[in-house]
């Protein structure tokens, strides 16, 4: 389980979005990405949302990518079932830490969650800004992928003023895709009513800067 980050430590800073990628899209894992519209890479397929219309299309190999966090060789260490409502903003990190246990709660980890969302608020524009327009949907069957860190990860990389880019007490970065592949976005808030989650603890963490 190799967690790799491409791009700047804080890809939201004006100017860093001009980075070009060299990110392989046909790897054996999944990831979250941000380029000209929010994106998700899942099982070797990369999907990107148009920042103006929200329409989803398959990424081309020469698509510019400013930032991506990818788990290559994803092999889940832990699996669990969600059978009661989990709020992404207030409960998800505590839920995941409860699943992995105290000994590993501070480790970097990637997770893949398949389930039903009662509601989700998300953005499709490239990057993240405090005044960005959010879209809302309800009653969706989705796959959500994300990366979580421990309490040692702090600072401007995950905040816009007082507003979290990640979710919850610790930084969590989430993207989702609906089962029909028609909606892709960066999750700002959501409620998960039921589902299953696979968690892979990162054995190595690489940061690659263009």
């Amino acid at each position: 389980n190799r967690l790799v980050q491409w791009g700047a430590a804080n890809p939201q800073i004006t100017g860093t979005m001009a980075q070009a990628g060299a990110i392989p899209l046909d790897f054996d894992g999944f990831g979250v990405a941000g380029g000209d519209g929010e994106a998700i890479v899942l099982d070797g397929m990369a999907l990107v949302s148009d920042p103006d219309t929200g329409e989803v299309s398959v990424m081309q190999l020469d698509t510019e990518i400013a930032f991506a966090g990818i788990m290559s060789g994803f092999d889940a260490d832990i699996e669990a079932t969600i059978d009661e409502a989990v709020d992404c903003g207030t409960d998800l990190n505590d839920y995941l830490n409860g699943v992995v246990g105290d000994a590993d709660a501070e480790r970097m980890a990637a997770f893949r969650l398949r389930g039903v969302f009662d509601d989700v608020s998300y953005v499709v524009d490239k990057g993240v800004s405090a005044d960005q327009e959010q879209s809302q949907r309800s009653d969706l069957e989705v796959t959500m992928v994300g990366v979580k860190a421990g309490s040692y990860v702090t600072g401007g990389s995950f905040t816009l003023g007082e507003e979290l880019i990640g979710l919850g007490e610790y930084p969590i970065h989430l993207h989702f895709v609906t089962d029909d592949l028609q909606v892709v976005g960066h999750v700002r808030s959501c409620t998960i009513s039921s589902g299953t989650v696979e968690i892979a603890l990162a054995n190595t963490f690489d940061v690659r800067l263009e």
Side-chain angles (χ1 to χ4, degrees):
N1 284 323
R2 182 172 185 155
L3 187 61
V4 182
Q5 176 178 312
W6 274 266
N10 188 346
Q12 289 75 30
I13 293 178
T14 301
T16 62
M17 297 301 293
Q19 293 182 75
I23 296 177
L25 300 181
D26 56 349
F27 62 94
D28 57 341
F30 64 68
V32 297
D36 189 13
E38 294 290 353
I40 189 170
V41 188
L42 190 66
D43 298 332
M45 179 172 62
L47 300 168
V48 62
S49 54
D50 185 287
D52 296 318
T53 67
E55 182 179 351
V56 175
S57 60
V58 177
M59 268 190 190
Q60 302 302 304
L61 290 177
D62 60 353
T63 302
E64 283 195 352
I65 298 293
F67 168 86
I70 291 173
M71 174 66 84
S72 182
F74 180 81
D75 184 16
D77 302 287
I78 306 165
E79 298 181 13
T81 299
I82 298 173
D83 53 14
E84 59 182 36
V86 175
D87 183 282
C88 294
T90 59
D91 302 331
L92 183 58
N93 190 78
D94 288 340
Y95 168 81
L96 293 172
N97 282 344
V99 172
V100 302
D102 292 342
D104 291 315
E106 291 295 300
R107 288 180 62 179
M108 295 289 293
F111 58 93
R112 174 176 179 152
L113 192 153
R114 170 78 179 84
V116 177
F117 281 21
D118 283 347
D119 57 77
V120 58
S121 176
Y122 63 98
V123 296
V124 299
D125 201 358
K126 59 184 178 182
V128 180
S129 61
D131 58 353
Q132 204 165 24
E133 182 179 355
Q134 298 186 37
S135 300
Q136 284 81 32
R137 297 288 185 97
S138 58
D139 299 323
L140 297 176
E141 294 186 4
V142 310
T143 296
M144 182 172 70
V145 298
V147 177
K148 72 177 291 294
S151 58
Y152 57 87
V153 179
T154 60
S157 294
F158 287 89
T159 60
L160 291 165
E162 296 181 354
E163 184 174 3
L164 290 176
I165 291 173
L167 297 175
E169 181 180 357
Y170 302 115
I172 298 180
H173 196 111
L174 306 172
H175 284 207
F176 79 100
V177 58
T178 53
D179 283 2
D180 61 8
L181 308 183
Q182 296 302 300
V183 183
V184 168
H186 168 104
V187 179
R188 298 304 297 270
S189 64
C190 71
T191 302
I192 306 162
S193 58
S194 63
T196 58
V197 63
E198 300 173 275
I199 304 171
L201 300 172
N203 296 320
T204 62
F205 181 49
D206 300 337
V207 179
R208 304 182 185 186
L209 305 178
E210 294 298 325

